[in-house]
Amino acid sequence: MDVQSIAMTVNGREYEFSVGTRFGQVPPEETLVETLRRRLELTGAKQSCSEGACGCCTVILNGDAVPSCMMLTVDADGADILTIEGLEDPATGQLDPIQQAFIDAAAFQCGYCTPGIIMALKALLNKNPAPTEKEVDEALSGNYCRCVSHYHVFDAVRDLIGAGKEGE
Amino acid sequence: MKHFDYARPDSFEAASAVLTAEKGSEIIAGGTDLLGVLKERILPEYPSKLVDIKHIEGAEGIAFDGSTLKIGATTKLTAVAGSEIVKEHAPLLAQAAYSVATPLIRNIATVGGNVCQDVRCWYYRYPHEIGGRLNCARKGGDRCYALLGDNRYHSVFGGRKLKTTPCQKECPASTDIPAYMEQIRKGDWDKAADILLQANPIPAITARVCAHFCQDRCNRCESDESVAVSHVERTVGDYVLENAARFYAPPAAESGKSVAVIGSGPSGLTAAYFLRKAGNKVTVYDSKEEAGGMLMYAIPAYRLPKDIVRQQTKALAAMGIDFVLNTQVGKDIAPADLEKRYDSVFYATGAWKRRIVGLAGEELTTFGLDFLVEVEKWFSGRLGDDVLVTGGGNVAMDVAITAKRLGAKKVTMACVESRGEMPASKEEIARAEEEGVVIMPSWGLSKVVEEGGSIKGMELKKCTGVYDENHRFNPQYDENDKIIVQAGTILMAIGQLVDLSFLDEKYQLQLTRGGLIAVADDDEMSTSRPGIFAGGDATLGPATVVQGVATGRRAAWGMCHYLGVPDCKGGTWTGATRNAFITYDPDAAQKTEPSRLKELPAPERGIDKEDSSSLTREEAACEAGRCLNCGCYAVNPSDLSPALIALGATIVTNKREVPAEAFFTEALCISEALKPGEIVTAITMPSVKGAVAHYDKFRLRDAIDFAIVSVATILKAEGGKFTYARVTVGGAAPVPIRLTKVEEYLVGKALTQETADAAADLAMEGSLPLAHNAFKIKQLRTYVQRAIMRLA
Ligand SMILES: Cc1cc2nc3c(=O)[nH]c(=O)nc-3n(C[C@H](O)[C@H](O)[C@H](O)COP(=O)(O)OP(=O)(O)OC[C@H]3O[C@@H](n4cnc5c(N)ncnc54)[C@H](O)[C@@H]3O)c2cc1C
Ligand code: SF4
Ligand code: SF4
Ligand code: FES
Ligand code: FES
């Protein structure tokens, strides 16, 4: 019943952590965003509100976008996790089309919320490559941007999935 | 987050075993609520271990077996919202699940966690780290910050009582103060009186003389001033006496037992009332000419008019209580005879004996209590010009003020305590000084100064400290710092002793300890002799009127218990039980100044005329309006709960199956609805195919605004008329509520705008918006109308 160790795949790479309170171990109270940022130095996911309300910490876990600040790392045992660092092609450095669309539409200002928004969108497009605007709206409803870059985000999405879907 | 241990059982049995065995262990499902709670450290006790239930086999999943839809507790909200099965058989639930938070949260949040989540009052959730913990009533404190604060997200149907309020806790008689204040606000004085009488049968008296401990801890003290409880009580007390025949009616049936009450002070009168109410034959003995004890003889009439005491004893006599006066137990009738003659005996003989200090010349001084009892004898100017009163308690204040009012030119009061330590109430000290009494704190008694057998004054010595390091009363003096206060009369008010010499030797040996009658520590006031009970000052030493009331009531219950007489509690008040919503008046509560009694100006005050007059009933009602009816006014945050109630769902746990309505409404906090080791394992519900079901939810921002108001409806119509209706509301009351009146109204009504309007009016019935949330009621109306018009 007690958990001695956990394993997970992050951006295609396997990790195993020993669970406990000794030096180097993952204590049960560690959240996933802390593990990603502090242990794996994957600082793309941002910790902002820490209460599941802003979406800056969004990563994809077993295919679903989740707030990594509201999850214990021990709860991600066995999970397959994708963070913004895992989007670009590791060999060529080619950006994911979503990333490119954001750059093209300048869909950010300070950029703090951007990795989270991109991951939420990525999860949506993986399941539904041609979402309606309403579906995009809904999928991004947990991602907040203080810089009011939302309009540009929607421009980027429109560029990405084609103007034909507008108004559906 | 602070550290906790973590366990991952693979069955509900194993999980429950951990929860039961390890105190401080808590369930974690998706963690979307719990982690917030842990990060902000808002729980009174931080859990030591989390028990993860997500790996339990069979706990996740959605199934329909032909009649019942079953959803496992760890099923994710995303799955519920998207499930074709749920959409078909319980579309309302799919909608409610879809409305929860954001897709990010729904991807990890579970059904079980949603219905068990903690409340979302922002005061409650105030982060521990920022400026310290806000210990509201729900978090173990006493006070609700929302009542006079930002309550835009709070209940519009009243609050819920969490626990005994601090005012009631402080009241020795544990009067349910907020409950009777609420009845006064509603204009129901009879019910208010009933509630008060259940704790205290002599409110007109206590209201005038009690030191009202309740007011010291009133939650309003933190924002302005305490509710003037004693003033309101006084008006209710007067009302009770004005309608004495109704409130002191003889019991409906006789118990066949007879009891004797020795002493007719507050404790004796109280015991007599409750004993008689239970149907016993009650005889009250008193050595004095009139009943009332200290109330009649010691407390000055300017504070407690004799007439009030007479009205009170007359009312009690009309219940069928016999008063045998001018009869001294021990002289006129022996305790052993009483015991033979009655089935049970209650001793409440008070503390009337003079305390002798052992000063030189003390025999020339006068006992303060005797002075008050025999005050008429002093009318004649016997007092002289200069009077010294010794003592710093309320009796000393009564003595000093009486002396002043009798015409003494100079009244000096000396007490060993420093000003802040004086036992008298602040009001009494202020009154004495207002009337010109000179108070000399920190002076102890040295000797009486006499000349040929007549008093010239008192030598005092400086008191350097009253309490020793063990906080025991043990005054220390500076023998080199002495002064003489000139006085022709010295009134000693340094406390009274209990005189038990009326008990013969055998009784004294058996009943007394340390100069008091010893009673068992069991709330029944029984002595070591079966059938003999005692209360008031005789068991406590000089205490207070309200402690007399409290012990008298307990003794009456104890005696009934002993006699096997049922229901002597006079029907415990249940109006303010946790099930009912409690209300306050948000407008009246804004008043920061308490009502004050009209007092005679100092020069007009006398010995016989009452100094103050009672509040009128309107004024008292206005003061009752300041009572906040302290409880919790937060709303249940879950979106699934109102939907599940509308659907007639059942909450299945590892221990039982509970209808959703009972599960969500019987206890205010879900943590209390669950028994130790209990885990929600699934939720089941019948299919409601063919109905029009909707979950309408109002909020501003998806991520952080929970339902500000939500309305779950299941409606069926045939031939232009409603045939079935279920309407529940979330976000508007402490628990999700079913609008049964609306449901009943709708069936058989036409699908028209008029029906929608009338239903909306009914939905608002009983609503009571707080200062900042009236908008919720409008929203509620709109949703009810909209739901109905969808079918039109
Ligand atoms: C930003 C944000 C917005 C939100 N908005 C909404 C909203 O609009 N509407 C809404 O309804 N909710 C909302 N929530 C609350 C959210 O829906 C709940 O947090 C979630 O459903 C709880 O599920 P969980 O599995 O994460 O519960 P957990 O956090 O794991 O548990 C919650 C509580 O329930 C107990 N518990 C869990 N499972 C069980 C069980 N099977 N038996 C007994 N006890 C159990 C836990 O011990 C804990 O005390 C929001 C939360 C966040 C963070
Ligand atoms: S409404 Fe309830 S939770 Fe909020 S401050 Fe008042 S007592 Fe606390
Ligand atoms: S406001 Fe009312 S209920 Fe609250 S402590 Fe004061 S008297 Fe009691
Ligand atoms: S930091 Fe995780 S949702 Fe805001
Ligand atoms: S770009 Fe700054 S928070 Fe969104």
Side-chain angles (χ1 to χ4, degrees):
Chain A
M1 192 182 314
D2 289 339
V3 178
Q4 312 291 340
S5 70
I6 52 171
M8 62 187 74
T9 307
V10 181
N11 300 336
R13 202 170 146 177
E14 280 174 31
Y15 293 89
E16 199 174 320
F17 300 109
S18 163
V19 175
T21 51
R22 271 179 316 201
F23 182 73
Q25 289 186 305
V26 171
E29 67 274 16
E30 186 165 308
T31 56
L32 182 57
V33 70
E34 288 168 344
T35 304
L36 294 173
R37 291 178 57 86
R38 296 198 196 143
R39 284 179 200 272
L40 308 184
E41 297 194 12
L42 297 170
T43 53
K46 303 286 186 277
Q47 181 154 13
S48 183
C49 71
S50 273
E51 53 183 36
C54 74
C56 290
C57 63
T58 306
V59 299
I60 297 179
L61 182 131
N62 298 333
D64 294 327
V66 299
S68 59
C69 71
M70 292 306 267
M71 264 194 95
L72 298 178
T73 303
V74 283
D75 269 356
D77 192 8
D80 186 2
I81 294 166
L82 183 67
T83 72
I84 187 114
E85 289 88 346
L87 285 190
E88 64 176 25
D89 188 308
T92 64
Q94 171 100 36
L95 291 181
D96 185 275
I98 305 178
Q99 290 172 302
Q100 193 57 54
F102 269 58
I103 293 174
D104 294 344
F108 47 82
Q109 233 177 101
C110 79
Y112 205 77
C113 65
T114 316
I117 296 182
I118 291 178
M119 296 317 285
L121 257 180
K122 179 76 185 168
L124 170 72
L125 296 182
N126 279 349
K127 291 181 192 171
N128 178 1
T132 63
E133 208 159 300
K134 226 176 125 208
E135 285 165 337
V136 176
D137 240 16
E138 172 59 25
L140 295 185
S141 61
N143 296 84
Y144 276 52
C145 171
R146 304 187 322 174
C147 304
V148 201
S149 65
H150 310 79
Y151 303 109
H152 303 281
V153 166
F154 280 95
D155 287 345
V157 176
R158 237 173 268 129
D159 293 345
L160 194 67
I161 60 183
K165 288 288 165 190
E166 241 175 294
E168 266 189 40
Chain B
M1 265 180 289
K2 255 174 74 181
H3 177 69
F4 45 75
D5 291 332
Y6 176 81
R8 195 189 279 165
D10 51 15
S11 69
F12 282 119
E13 293 75 60
S16 179
V18 180
L19 290 168
T20 322
E22 295 187 39
K23 205 179 152 275
S25 53
E26 288 255 4
I27 300 169
I28 180 166
T32 59
D33 182 48
L34 187 62
L35 296 194
V37 167
L38 298 185
K39 285 177 184 181
E40 314 291 22
R41 281 203 254 154
I42 59 176
L43 294 178
E45 266 175 69
Y46 192 87
S48 52
K49 185 176 223 166
L50 295 191
V51 180
D52 181 4
I53 57 168
K54 288 185 299 296
H55 296 257
I56 292 174
E57 214 162 312
E60 185 172 2
I62 299 169
F64 183 68
D65 67 2
S67 66
T68 305
L69 174 65
K70 181 173 179 183
I71 303 177
T74 61
T75 311
K76 308 275 190 306
L77 295 181
T78 301
V80 176
S83 156
E84 291 308 324
I85 303 177
V86 180
K87 283 185 195 164
E88 183 181 350
H89 298 286
L92 179 65
L93 189 64
Q95 287 177 38
Y98 184 74
S99 84
V100 170
T102 68
L104 304 178
I105 297 284
R106 295 199 294 275
N107 282 338
I108 43 179
T110 67
V111 170
N114 187 277
V115 296
C116 295
Q117 64 182 294
D118 208 349
V119 71
R120 284 275 167 173
C121 162
W122 301 127
Y123 291 106
Y124 179 82
R125 294 261 175 175
Y126 189 78
H128 182 67
E129 286 77 11
I130 308 178
R133 192 178 165 83
L134 280 187
N135 245 347
C136 76
R138 194 152 176 155
K139 264 157 83 176
D142 280 326
R143 180 170 178 211
C144 171
Y145 295 91
L147 291 174
L148 293 174
D150 187 337
N151 44 37
R152 76 185 92 168
Y153 295 134
H154 289 76
S155 169
V156 284
F157 284 98
R160 196 96 168 235
K161 192 155 172 159
L162 279 161
K163 54 178 175 185
T164 310
T165 50
C167 53
Q168 181 176 3
K169 238 188 288 170
E170 288 303 303
C171 170
S174 51
T175 310
D176 194 346
I177 295 162
Y180 83 77
M181 297 276 174
E182 179 172 66
Q183 294 306 326
I184 295 175
R185 286 192 298 275
K186 290 183 178 163
D188 193 340
W189 284 75
D190 285 349
K191 207 176 236 167
D194 278 340
I195 297 167
L196 187 47
L197 289 172
Q198 267 160 25
N200 168 8
I202 53 169
I205 291 172
T206 48
R208 285 172 165 85
V209 301
C210 179
H212 40 75
F213 307 98
C214 55
Q215 295 183 199
D216 298 343
R217 288 285 319 279
C218 169
N219 281 328
R220 282 209 80 118
C221 292
E222 287 184 43
S223 36
D224 38 71
E225 270 185 72
S226 159
V227 174
V229 178
S230 61
H231 298 352
V232 181
E233 180 187 352
R234 179 163 161 175
T235 307
V236 183
D238 289 352
Y239 178 79
V240 167
L241 285 186
E242 281 156 29
N243 298 282
R246 244 186 17 253
F247 292 112
Y248 299 98
E254 299 291 327
S255 70
K257 303 284 179 189
S258 75
V259 296
V261 171
I262 318 306
S264 64
S267 197
L269 294 181
T270 302
Y273 168 85
F274 286 109
L275 286 164
R276 181 70 193 128
K277 221 172 144 69
N280 303 298
K281 186 167 165 12
V282 182
T283 311
V284 179
Y285 289 89
D286 203 291
S287 58
K288 296 261 188 314
E289 221 174 292
E290 284 195 80
M294 290 272 182
L295 304 171
M296 192 60 178
Y297 289 98
I299 297 176
Y302 62 81
R303 286 212 287 137
L304 176 63
K306 308 289 173 219
D307 184 47
I308 299 273
V309 185
R310 288 190 187 112
Q311 282 183 47
Q312 185 68 72
T313 47
K314 211 173 118 202
L316 293 168
M319 285 177 85
I321 297 170
D322 273 336
F323 285 90
V324 179
L325 302 170
N326 288 317
T327 304
Q328 203 167 339
V329 171
K331 200 170 110 214
D332 303 319
I333 179 167
D337 287 340
L338 287 172
E339 210 174 317
K340 267 183 231 136
R341 222 191 283 170
Y342 298 96
D343 297 314
S344 180
V345 183
F346 175 58
Y347 285 100
T349 44
W352 292 80
K353 192 164 116 183
R354 172 164 193 174
R355 225 179 94 201
I356 302 295
V357 190
L359 297 177
E362 194 171 354
E363 67 283 0
L364 298 173
T365 64
T366 304
F367 180 30
L369 194 61
D370 285 346
F371 166 72
L372 292 174
V373 172
E374 300 167 346
V375 70
E376 312 87 62
K377 294 192 190 155
W378 296 81
F379 277 134
S380 52
R382 226 176 99 191
L383 210 49
D385 284 348
D386 295 332
V387 175
L388 174 71
V389 177
T390 66
N394 280 329
V395 174
M397 293 298 157
D398 283 347
V399 168
I401 294 172
T402 303
K404 191 78 197 164
R405 291 188 184 182
L406 280 174
K409 291 227 166 58
K410 182 163 180 227
V411 176
T412 309
M413 171 180 249
C415 62
V416 285
E417 293 91 356
S418 66
R419 192 167 262 276
E421 290 164 330
M422 285 173 67
S425 68
K426 287 193 187 60
E427 289 99 324
E428 287 302 301
I429 296 173
R431 182 194 301 268
E433 292 197 312
E434 186 193 352
E435 300 197 11
V437 174
V438 178
I439 299 180
M440 295 176 59
S442 301
W443 286 100
L445 309 180
S446 170
K447 64 170 196 255
V448 175
V449 183
E450 58 166 315
E451 239 178 66
S454 71
I455 291 183
K456 290 294 161 211
M458 173 83 87
E459 183 180 83
L460 303 173
K461 51 186 174 181
K462 191 78 194 168
C463 177
T464 52
V466 187
Y467 299 100
D468 60 19
E469 45 306 343
N470 304 323
H471 308 289
R472 271 205 321 253
F473 185 79
N474 183 15
Q476 307 292 310
Y477 301 102
D478 178 355
E479 300 288 344
N480 296 320
D481 190 356
K482 292 185 176 163
I483 53 166
I484 291 177
V485 175
Q486 309 287 339
T489 305
I490 296 175
L491 302 170
M492 304 281 277
I494 47 169
Q496 301 83 249
L497 296 175
V498 172
D499 183 4
L500 298 172
S501 59
F502 68 92
L503 295 171
D504 51 41
E505 218 171 297
K506 181 185 91 187
Y507 266 78
Q508 281 205 31
L509 273 179
Q510 196 181 2
L511 296 186
T512 68
R513 202 185 309 131
L516 304 174
I517 302 184
V519 286
D521 197 12
D522 61 357
D523 257 16
E524 299 207 332
M525 308 304 292
S526 58
T527 68
S528 55
R529 217 174 149 77
I532 308 292
F533 293 76
D537 285 3
T539 58
L540 299 162
T544 58
V545 171
V546 66
Q547 278 166 293
V549 169
T551 52
R553 189 185 60 199
R554 270 186 245 143
W557 293 351
M559 288 163 83
C560 284
H561 189 198
Y562 167 79
L563 296 170
V565 175
D567 198 22
C568 59
K569 299 197 181 182
T572 357
W573 168 247
T574 51
T577 55
R578 307 165 59 112
N579 263 326
F581 296 152
I582 53 172
T583 57
Y584 73 107
D585 179 340
D587 291 331
Q590 298 298 328
K591 190 165 166 275
T592 52
E593 273 262 315
S595 312
R596 312 210 191 264
L597 298 181
K598 271 193 275 320
E599 304 254 359
L600 292 175
E604 283 174 37
R605 292 178 205 159
I607 293 292
D608 280 332
K609 201 161 37 157
E610 190 169 16
D611 284 353
S612 57
S613 38
S614 304
L615 298 181
T616 63
R617 260 197 260 157
E618 291 67 36
E619 288 164 339
C622 174
E623 186 60 24
R626 291 183 69 241
C627 171
L628 301 169
N629 212 347
C630 295
C632 175
Y633 287 73
V635 296
N636 178 304
S638 163
D639 280 309
L640 298 195
S641 322
L644 291 170
I645 292 179
L647 286 160
T650 301
I651 309 293
V652 184
T653 77
N654 56 332
K655 297 186 189 255
R656 60 196 168 129
E657 297 196 355
V658 204
E661 187 164 3
F663 186 80
F664 295 125
T665 59
E666 273 169 13
L668 178 57
C669 309
I670 295 296
S671 54
E672 281 173 27
L674 292 169
K675 299 182 176 16
E678 188 169 23
I679 310 170
V680 174
T681 57
I683 290 164
T684 61
M685 67 212 80
S687 169
V688 288
K689 260 166 124 171
V692 178
H694 271 278
Y695 187 72
D696 291 300
K697 169 172 171 181
F698 176 62
R699 63 176 163 178
L700 300 173
R701 301 157 298 182
D702 283 8
I704 32 186
D705 287 341
F706 284 66
I708 295 171
V709 185
S710 66
V711 177
T713 42
I714 306 175
L715 300 170
K716 285 186 200 167
E718 229 173 279
K721 288 206 164 86
F722 285 105
T723 55
Y724 177 90
R726 277 283 171 287
V727 186
T728 60
V729 177
V735 294
I737 47 173
R738 223 180 113 185
L739 300 181
T740 30
K741 274 200 181 158
V742 176
E743 294 173 358
E744 283 160 16
Y745 167 78
L746 283 177
V747 174
K749 293 286 176 323
L751 314 180
T752 61
Q753 186 66 49
E754 287 73 59
T755 304
D757 293 347
D761 287 343
L762 274 178
M764 292 165 52
E765 224 179 69
S767 65
L768 181 107
L770 307 180
H772 306 291
N773 65 8
F775 74 96
K776 280 194 176 197
I777 296 184
K778 280 198 196 126
Q779 200 61 43
L780 171 60
R781 267 192 77 90
T782 309
Y783 281 153
V784 170
Q785 285 167 322
R786 191 185 292 176
I788 290 168
M789 292 312 287
R790 273 197 197 105
L791 280 78

